[in-house]
Amino acid sequence: MEVDQLQRSFLEYTNSLFRFLDGQFGQLQLLQDESNPEFVFEVVSLFFEDSERILNDLTLALDQQNVDFKKIDAHVHQFKGSSSSIGAQRVRNACIAFRNFCEGQNVEACRRCLQQVKQEYLLVKTKLEALLRLEQQILAAGGVIPMLDS
Amino acid sequence: MVAPSSFGNKEDHQIVGCLHMGHLHLPTTHTNCHNNGKMVIGSSKKVVANQLDEEKRVCALVVDDDPLVRKLHQMFLNRQGLDADVAENGKEAVDLFASGMNYDLVLMDMEMPVMDGPKATRELRAMGVTSMIVGVTGRGVEADKAAFMAAGLDDCIDKPLNGGAIIAMLDELAKKVL
């Protein structure tokens, strides 16, 4: 495929992600340059690892006989922080809602929140993976990843 | 030595302020700082040979329990020519200073396990640490932010950080030191 075409696809796809990724993601892309060519990939990979660990911890915590809401709140807070640092706004919003239910100490409601957060995470994960694949295709075809207007 | 007249626009002057600060004899020992040999300046992406003495390089400490956030903040700082060490919680940060490390700038997360931001800030100030400490908070309760400031912060900013916030912080740091 032509580099031009790939770059256009990349820009179109990035623009279509505005509901899932806010301006913060653009900030990350700005940090990528010749001396840090893999930066976005590294940060996104870290986000996946981080998220999966937190989601596992949350699942376990909500499965306990005596649910430790303080612990759950701490996990959700961390997830809120990392998702907002990468620009995953829907995940962040789901975390905010989750924390509200934590305060209410309602196990069932929290389990529903966890499902919601998981769903949003999987959605953004799919989008990010597709974006990274497009980046790889552009690089493999000898092109450069186009910069976006922040 | 980098001459101010070689920079064209205002944004570069802000970074020059930081470079000049780097030339001053700061009362710190940066035993952990690496002399990378390069300094990238803001959006103009000029690469300037790092002629600063290792002793005088501006050093920062990123304190946050989330590895993603640590990496990100470290990168934002590196991009402005600062070396940045990391700590996972307030206690690690306090231990670093207690062991003789010193930093010009500390980015302190508010909520952390083991020892949170406000407690760590109080301890650092009680130890006589005069570094610039900037609290980093998730958008939230104003009262919490006020309490954090009262612990001894120089400033408090919202997560997530971006390039502009870092530059503004460095301007403040330059004013503090000059």
Side-chain angles (χ1 to χ4, degrees):
Chain A
M1 218 193 227
E2 289 287 342
V3 172
D4 277 352
Q5 226 172 319
L6 285 169
Q7 288 173 327
R8 261 198 303 279
S9 298
F10 175 82
L11 287 171
E12 272 166 22
Y13 191 65
T14 305
N15 287 331
S16 77
L17 295 182
F18 72 94
R19 267 190 306 267
F20 298 91
L21 295 168
D22 65 25
Q24 182 64 12
F25 189 69
Q27 286 285 319
L28 301 187
Q29 288 170 310
L30 288 176
L31 286 171
Q32 184 159 286
D33 65 6
E34 317 79 52
S35 53
N36 298 282
E38 297 277 296
F39 183 67
V40 174
F41 176 78
E42 285 168 13
V43 172
V44 170
S45 304
L46 203 50
F47 174 63
F48 291 164
E49 275 171 39
D50 223 23
S51 305
E52 271 145 49
R53 180 182 48 86
I54 294 176
L55 287 169
N56 277 339
D57 288 345
L58 278 168
T59 308
L60 242 88
L62 277 169
D63 254 346
Q64 300 301 309
Q65 278 278 42
N66 294 316
V67 175
D68 185 347
F69 286 100
K70 232 181 157 198
K71 206 176 188 185
I72 291 178
D73 186 70
H75 285 314
V76 179
H77 169 77
Q78 212 195 41
F79 201 12
K80 179 184 142 217
S82 59
S83 59
S84 87
S85 294
I86 204 173
Q89 55 182 344
R90 289 173 62 113
V91 177
R92 181 198 71 222
N93 292 339
C95 287
I96 292 172
F98 195 157
R99 288 190 91 187
N100 290 334
F101 280 102
C102 269
E103 269 181 58
Q105 305 217 345
N106 182 332
V107 178
E108 270 321 302
C110 282
R111 286 196 181 128
R112 280 196 298 274
C113 283
L114 178 57
Q115 283 320 303
Q116 186 65 17
V117 170
K118 268 185 183 165
Q119 218 167 302
E120 291 300 343
Y121 166 68
L122 288 170
L123 271 170
V124 82
K125 182 177 185 202
T126 314
K127 305 290 178 188
L128 286 167
E129 282 173 337
L131 196 67
L132 289 177
R133 263 197 308 273
L134 272 169
E135 284 195 352
Q136 288 310 305
Q137 282 177 311
I138 293 173
L139 294 172
V144 288
I145 297 162
M147 290 302 288
L148 303 132
D149 290 323
S150 48
Chain B
M1 174 105 177
V2 177
S5 57
S6 55
F7 296 107
N9 57 48
K10 185 173 185 281
E11 193 176 293
D12 285 339
H13 271 289
Q14 292 174 327
I15 310 302
V16 167
C18 178
L19 291 176
H20 273 277
M21 169 184 59
H23 282 284
L24 295 175
H25 177 61
L26 297 166
T28 52
T29 44
H30 303 300
T31 52
N32 219 26
C33 285
H34 307 293
N35 200 342
N36 290 333
K38 276 192 187 173
M39 194 176 289
V40 178
I41 299 176
S43 58
S44 61
K45 292 194 193 275
K46 277 185 263 184
V47 176
V48 176
N50 178 10
Q51 288 158 24
L52 298 177
D53 237 285
E54 194 170 295
E55 276 179 54
K56 295 168 186 169
R57 264 188 78 103
V58 180
C59 252
L61 177 66
V62 175
V63 189
D64 200 296
D65 58 332
D66 190 60
L68 174 61
V69 173
R70 284 197 299 270
K71 186 181 177 82
L72 205 57
H73 291 183
Q74 209 176 12
M75 190 60 172
F76 276 121
L77 291 166
N78 288 160
R79 192 41 99 74
Q80 298 301 333
L82 273 74
D83 284 329
D85 284 349
V86 295
E88 290 188 17
N89 57 56
K91 180 164 193 304
E92 276 192 22
V94 169
D95 288 347
L96 276 167
F97 276 92
S99 73
M101 291 298 294
N102 210 334
Y103 301 94
D104 304 293
L105 171 66
V106 179
L107 281 181
M108 184 81 80
D109 187 24
M110 187 163 75
E111 296 185 44
M112 292 179 284
V114 184
M115 187 189 289
D116 66 18
K119 182 152 202 275
T121 305
R122 273 191 294 274
E123 291 213 11
L124 288 173
R125 294 305 189 205
M127 281 161 63
V129 169
T130 56
S131 315
M132 181 170 181
I133 307 180
V134 176
V136 180
T137 59
R139 268 164 292 175
V141 188
E142 280 310 306
D144 288 342
K145 244 182 165 174
F148 198 4
M149 280 297 292
L153 296 178
D154 288 287
D155 202 354
C156 202
I157 54 179
D158 279 342
K159 266 182 195 177
L161 249 57
N162 56 47
I166 298 281
I167 291 175
M169 213 187 303
L170 296 180
D171 273 352
E172 281 308 308
L173 184 57
K175 281 187 215 156
K176 188 180 187 236
V177 174
L178 288 170

